[in-house]
Amino acid sequence: MAAAQEALAETDALDRPDDDVDAHIIGLVRQNATNREIAARLHMSVKAVEAKLTRIYRRHGVQGRRQLASLDVGSD
């Protein structure tokens, strides 16, 4: 039961809008940082970075890092 609650809390945290973190991730993607490098810089797990990137891609209608890096987006 406790493990399920912990997993739910982590999912809820990833679903919360966090424009500062998203903007920072986008900036690091533009600097060609890998997911592992982004995770280390932001003190997150690689899986959390992957989940955040998936949400960022969906929100901005892009399909990958190259498209994201070429958009004029940040903390919108």
Side-chain angles (χ1 to χ4, degrees), residues 3-4 8 16 22 25 33 37 39-40 44-45 48 52 55 63 65-66 68 71:
L8 184 59
R16 269 187 255 133
D22 290 358
I25 288 173
E37 292 167 340
M44 301 171 70
S45 71
K52 285 292 236 178
R55 287 171 179 82
Q63 295 187 8
R65 298 172 92 84
R66 287 183 183 167
L68 182 65
L71 290 179

Side-chain angles (χ1 to χ4, degrees), residues 3-74:
Q5 289 174 334
E6 187 175 311
L8 184 59
E10 185 172 317
T11 301
D12 289 344
L14 289 172
D15 286 336
R16 269 187 255 133
D18 192 353
D19 290 338
D20 291 338
V21 173
D22 290 358
H24 205 102
I25 288 173
I26 292 168
L28 291 169
V29 166
R30 286 185 177 142
Q31 295 173 24
N32 297 317
T34 65
N35 289 355
R36 184 174 290 187
E37 292 167 340
I38 294 169
R41 294 270 300 269
L42 300 181
H43 306 286
M44 301 171 70
S45 71
V46 174
K47 290 287 188 188
V49 171
E50 291 169 354
K52 285 292 236 178
L53 278 170
T54 298
R55 287 171 179 82
I56 291 168
Y57 296 158
R58 194 174 307 135
R59 183 177 33 209
H60 294 290
V62 298
Q63 295 187 8
R65 298 172 92 84
R66 287 183 183 167
Q67 287 182 347
L68 182 65
S70 68
L71 290 179
D72 186 22
V73 296

